[in-house]
């Protein structure tokens, strides 16, 4: 058995050391709680920024606005061409003046920067703003030079990365490919065919490099006769640049906000985890210590939940120490009280073995029997006293009708005609939440105590009434009262103050102590004082206060 106990103790010590080491590992800057706080705060920020960076609706609005602006420009071009570049023949047939149309296209494009093309009704290309000279062998095409790659290399990389990542989340439908054949015709562009049929139309495409290309085509008509189609083509680079600029500004704000979030999260986690770690370490030291050299830190000045936790832990620790002290005192008191009858028993037994007189042996045997009864009573009361706290902590309170309970006890004691009269005065509907068996034990102890001290012909008065949210019960007797200065001492363990006529050892001295503990467990109060009439002691009064909730 000793080997097993040693093994269990070693296992407990090992578990304690492991738990202590685990606590120490969490005392760094980034404890598990710190990571959780940081993750929660950062996740909310990421979701917010991701939603802002998406900008899908904003992009569609930009594209739609740009297409409308291009359509207005194309309408203006078409109106100008139908007025200045169209001639009427003798047969009332309208024809486009090719050279005038080409010149107008070259001049108009300088205002907007959009590539402008003019297609005839047969689908052939009549004019292109990208051609500097006339069509034919001497035609020269103008191309926009790409921006220098070295000056904004970092910006281009960031733009490619951010735009590429965001494109994955946008879920945009794939756009048709923009093709720019060497010899373009209306068959290559559905919007041109729609314009030659009399309808305006805009289309969004992507080129071979993945950049958006916006095009709008409107009919050139005179007197409701469609003579040609004007097609405006413009790169979506400005829209992408605008979106990128907005996204970049948002990312800059995000980086700043994320830095602030990290710092604040670390600060918040520190404010929470550091005191919690202090409390955990202190609690572990208190648990492992054999004395009171370690205490729980007092953090009550924080005035928050951690301060409340600190106060509660301190109170709990003090309560545990008080309970341990009470157990030690109780064990010492029990040992002292048991030692007295045992000493008497041993003396009586040793004396009885030496005596030859039968009468004196009989008297010694009576003493031995009384000491055995006293030990039995004492052990029974000690057992009841020791298990009372556990029973009260497990039991659930019930609604107790004090009128029924006290009247029943009164009738029980009044059944003995030799004892004092018990008078009970309790109003109807007076209830308290309590453990009925233990509350009955209290009343029996107090009434029995009053009966013991009552003179012949006296009476015991039991009264109860409601006082606000509490119930008051008093038990009065006509006895000699309580010795001066002993009003509190009578509730101490093993304290006895019995009538002179009563045989010694009939009581263990635990009855009033048990009663006070039961009432305290019900969040009530039990006190005692003398009943005075004209300054003269006429008996004792025990008063109980019990809450009704």
């Amino acid at each position: 058995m000793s080997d097993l106990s040693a093994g269990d103790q070693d296992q407990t010590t090992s578990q304690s050391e492991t738990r202590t080491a685990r606590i120490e590992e969490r005392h760094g800057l980034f404890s598990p709680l710190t990571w959780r706080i940081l993750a929660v705060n950062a996740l909310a920020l990421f979701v917010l920024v991701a939603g802002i960076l998406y900008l899908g609706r904003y992009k569609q609005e930009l594209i739609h606005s740009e297409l409308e602006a291009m359509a207005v420009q194309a309408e203006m071009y078409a109106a100008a061409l139908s007025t200045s570049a169209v001639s009427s023949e003798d047969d009332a047939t309208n024809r486009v003046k090719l050279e005038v149309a080409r010149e107008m296209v070259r001049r108009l494009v300088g205002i907007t920067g959009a590539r402008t093309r003019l297609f005839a009704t047969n689908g052939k290309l009549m004019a292109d703003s990208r051609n500097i000279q006339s069509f034919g062998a001497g035609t020269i095409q103008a191309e926009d030079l790409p921006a220098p790659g070295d000056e904004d290399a970092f910006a281009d990389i960031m733009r490619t990365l951010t735009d590429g990542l965001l494109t994955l989340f946008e879920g945009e439908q794939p756009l048709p490919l923009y093709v720019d054949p060497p010899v373009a015709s209306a068959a290559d562009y559905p919007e041109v065919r729609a314009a030659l049929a009399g309808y305006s139309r805009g289309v969004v495409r992507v080129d071979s490099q993945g950049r958006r290309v916006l095009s709008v085509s409107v009919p050139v008509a005179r007197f409701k006769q469609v003579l040609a189609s004007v097609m405006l083509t413009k790169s979506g680079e400005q829209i992408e640049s605008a979106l990128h600029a907005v996204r970049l500004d948002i990312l800059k704000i995000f980086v700043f906000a994320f830095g602030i979030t990290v710092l604040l999260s670390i600060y918040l986690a520190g404010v929470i985890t550091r005191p919690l770690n202090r409390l955990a370490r202190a609690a572990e030291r208190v648990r492992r210590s054999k004395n009171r050299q370690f205490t729980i830190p007092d953090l009550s000045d924080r005035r928050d939940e951690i301060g409340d936790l600190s106060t509660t832990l301190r109170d709990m620790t003090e309560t545990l120490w008080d309970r341990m002290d009470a157990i030690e005192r109780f064990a010492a008191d029990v040992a002292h009280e048991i030692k007295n009858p045992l000493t008497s028993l041993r003396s009586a037994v040793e004396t009885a073995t030496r005596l030859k007189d039968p009468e004196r042996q009989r008297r010694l045997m009576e003493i031995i029997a009384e000491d055995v009864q006293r030990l039995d009573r004492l052990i029974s009361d000690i057992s009841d006293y020791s298990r009372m706290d556990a029973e009260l902590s497990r039991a659930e309170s019930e609604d107790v009708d004090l009128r029924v309970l006290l009247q029943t006890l009164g009738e029980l004691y009044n059944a003995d005609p030799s004892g004092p009269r018990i008078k009970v005065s309790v109003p109807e509907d007076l209830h308290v939440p309590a453990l009925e068996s233990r509350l009955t034990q209290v009343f029996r102890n107090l009434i029995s105590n009053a009966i013991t001290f009552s003179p012949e012909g006296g009476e015991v008065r039991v009264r109860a009434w409601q006082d606000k949210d509490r119930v008051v019960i008093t038990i009065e007797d006509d006895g000699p009262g309580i010795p001066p200065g002993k009003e509190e001492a009578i509730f101490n363990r093993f304290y006895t103050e019995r009538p002179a006529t009563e045989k010694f050892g009939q009581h263990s001295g635990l009855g009033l102590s048990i009663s006070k503990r039961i009432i305290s467990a019900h969040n009530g109060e039990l006190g005692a004082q003398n009943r005075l009439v004209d300054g003269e002691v006429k008996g004792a009064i025990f008063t109980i206060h019990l809450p009704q909730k």
Side-chain angles (χ1 to χ4, degrees):
M1 181 65 70
S2 59
D3 294 340
L4 179 60
S5 300
D8 293 341
Q9 185 175 4
D10 293 341
Q11 183 178 3
T12 303
T13 303
S14 177
Q15 292 176 351
S16 175
E17 293 175 352
T18 302
R19 182 167 56 251
T20 304
R22 187 164 57 249
I23 293 175
E24 294 296 334
E25 290 177 359
R26 297 173 180 171
H27 293 167
L29 178 61
F30 290 98
S31 65
L33 185 59
T34 304
W35 282 113
R36 291 189 183 97
I37 293 175
L38 180 60
V40 170
N41 292 337
L43 179 62
L45 185 61
F46 272 110
V47 171
L48 176 62
V49 172
I52 295 175
L53 285 177
Y54 176 64
L55 296 176
R57 186 173 182 82
Y58 176 62
K59 179 171 63 177
Q60 295 301 325
E61 290 292 337
L62 286 179
I63 294 174
H64 181 70
S65 298
E66 187 67 23
L67 288 175
E68 287 185 346
M70 292 174 63
V72 172
Q73 295 173 8
E75 293 287 350
M76 294 173 59
Y77 290 177
L81 288 170
S82 65
T83 303
S84 304
V86 175
S87 62
S88 300
E89 302 295 336
D90 295 338
D91 56 357
T93 301
N94 298 314
R95 300 184 183 278
V96 178
K97 300 178 185 178
L98 189 57
E99 292 301 327
V100 175
R102 289 175 178 171
E103 184 63 27
M104 289 184 66
V105 167
R106 284 196 296 269
R107 292 189 178 185
L108 290 173
V109 76
I111 302 174
T112 62
R115 180 181 180 183
T116 307
R117 281 172 282 188
L118 185 65
F119 291 89
T121 54
N122 59 6
K124 293 183 178 180
L125 180 64
M126 300 173 61
D128 189 349
S129 62
R130 185 170 289 182
N131 296 330
I132 299 178
Q133 295 182 1
S134 302
F135 286 89
T139 299
I140 301 175
Q141 291 189 351
E143 297 285 348
D144 295 332
L145 294 176
D150 297 334
E151 297 180 0
D152 298 320
F154 179 75
D156 290 342
I157 294 174
M158 289 297 298
R159 177 174 180 174
T160 303
L161 290 176
T162 56
D163 292 351
L165 289 174
L166 292 170
T167 301
L168 297 176
F169 295 99
E170 288 179 355
E172 187 178 35
Q173 295 296 329
L175 299 175
L177 182 65
Y178 173 75
V179 180
D180 189 10
V183 181
S185 66
D188 299 321
Y189 307 104
E191 64 270 30
V192 175
R193 297 195 300 270
L196 293 177
Y199 303 100
S200 299
R201 186 178 177 183
V203 179
V204 180
R205 300 183 180 86
V206 292
D207 59 12
S208 57
Q209 297 180 356
R211 295 174 300 186
R212 285 180 175 79
V213 178
L214 283 64
S215 63
V216 173
S217 185
V218 299
V220 178
R222 189 172 185 180
F223 302 118
K224 297 184 180 181
Q225 180 184 359
V226 177
L227 305 176
S229 172
V230 176
M231 178 182 178
L232 268 63
T233 305
K234 192 173 185 179
S235 173
E237 188 68 22
Q238 292 182 351
I239 296 176
E240 298 295 339
S241 298
L243 287 172
H244 175 71
V246 173
R247 286 168 175 164
L248 190 60
D249 291 339
I250 294 174
L251 286 175
K252 291 177 181 178
I253 297 174
F254 165 73
V255 171
F256 176 76
F258 182 74
I260 296 297
T261 300
V262 171
L263 295 177
L264 291 179
S265 298
I266 294 175
Y267 167 75
L268 178 61
V271 170
I272 296 175
T273 58
R274 277 195 297 269
L276 289 179
N277 287 334
R278 287 183 59 193
L279 293 175
R281 289 196 299 266
E284 184 66 17
R285 287 196 298 265
V286 169
R287 188 187 67 82
R288 300 179 65 182
S289 65
K290 304 301 182 182
N291 50 45
R292 305 188 186 186
Q293 60 178 331
F294 298 111
T295 58
I296 301 296
D298 185 5
L299 304 178
S300 57
D301 56 342
R302 288 175 57 101
R303 300 183 183 278
D304 57 9
E305 288 79 1
I306 295 180
D308 295 340
L309 176 62
S310 168
T311 302
T312 303
L313 287 176
R314 288 173 61 86
D315 294 342
M316 182 185 69
T317 305
E318 290 299 322
T319 302
L320 289 175
W321 284 119
D322 293 342
R323 183 63 60 84
M324 292 177 65
D325 292 341
I327 293 173
E328 292 178 359
R329 291 194 300 268
F330 180 67
D333 293 342
V334 168
H336 176 74
E337 291 297 321
I338 293 179
K339 187 175 181 181
N340 290 334
L342 285 177
T343 302
S344 177
L345 272 172
R346 187 176 70 174
S347 177
V349 170
E350 291 176 352
T351 303
T353 57
R354 293 194 301 266
L355 291 176
K356 302 299 183 180
D357 186 358
E359 180 63 24
R360 296 181 63 182
Q361 286 184 344
R362 184 184 63 78
R363 291 177 58 186
L364 283 176
M365 293 303 294
E366 290 178 354
I367 294 174
I368 292 173
E370 290 176 357
D371 285 338
V372 170
Q373 290 178 359
R374 182 183 173 193
L375 274 175
D376 181 69
R377 186 184 307 108
L378 185 62
I379 291 173
S380 298
D381 288 345
I382 289 172
S383 175
D384 182 56
Y385 188 90
S386 61
R387 70 171 183 268
M388 182 175 57
D389 284 342
E391 179 184 343
L392 290 173
S393 64
R394 292 192 300 265
E396 293 185 2
S397 298
E398 54 185 331
D399 190 59
V400 178
D401 190 333
L402 289 180
R403 179 183 175 88
V404 174
L405 175 60
L406 293 175
Q407 284 186 344
T408 301
L409 289 176
E411 294 173 357
L412 177 64
Y413 284 103
N414 284 330
D416 183 6
S418 63
R421 185 70 179 170
I422 309 298
K423 291 186 176 180
V424 179
S425 177
V426 181
E428 295 183 359
D429 252 355
L430 193 61
H431 300 260
V432 293
L435 186 61
E436 186 172 3
S437 61
R438 287 296 181 177
L439 197 58
T440 302
Q441 181 182 0
V442 172
F443 292 141
R444 289 178 67 95
N445 285 342
L446 296 180
I447 294 175
S448 297
N449 186 76
I451 291 174
T452 302
F453 285 95
S454 293
E456 186 177 352
E459 66 178 15
V460 176
R461 292 167 294 279
V462 180
R463 299 186 180 93
W465 66 91
Q466 184 170 346
D467 182 16
K468 296 181 180 178
D469 59 344
R470 299 176 74 84
V471 171
V472 181
I473 305 104
T474 61
I475 299 173
E476 303 177 5
D477 61 57
D478 296 329
I482 303 170
K486 299 295 184 178
E487 289 84 358
E488 293 294 333
I490 61 175
F491 295 104
N492 293 338
R493 288 191 302 265
F494 304 112
Y495 177 89
T496 56
E497 189 73 35
R498 312 305 301 177
T501 58
E502 184 178 288
K503 185 184 292 187
F504 177 76
Q506 295 297 314
H507 295 83
S508 64
L510 288 174
L512 291 180
S513 179
I514 290 175
S515 298
K516 191 174 184 67
R517 290 185 67 180
I518 292 174
I519 296 300
S520 298
H522 287 81
N523 298 318
E525 298 175 359
L526 171 60
Q529 60 184 3
N530 286 321
R531 184 170 63 87
L532 302 177
V533 178
D534 296 330
E536 185 179 355
V537 177
K538 294 295 184 179
I541 304 175
F542 286 83
T543 305
I544 300 173
H545 294 266
L546 288 174
Q548 282 195 304
K549 295 182 179 179

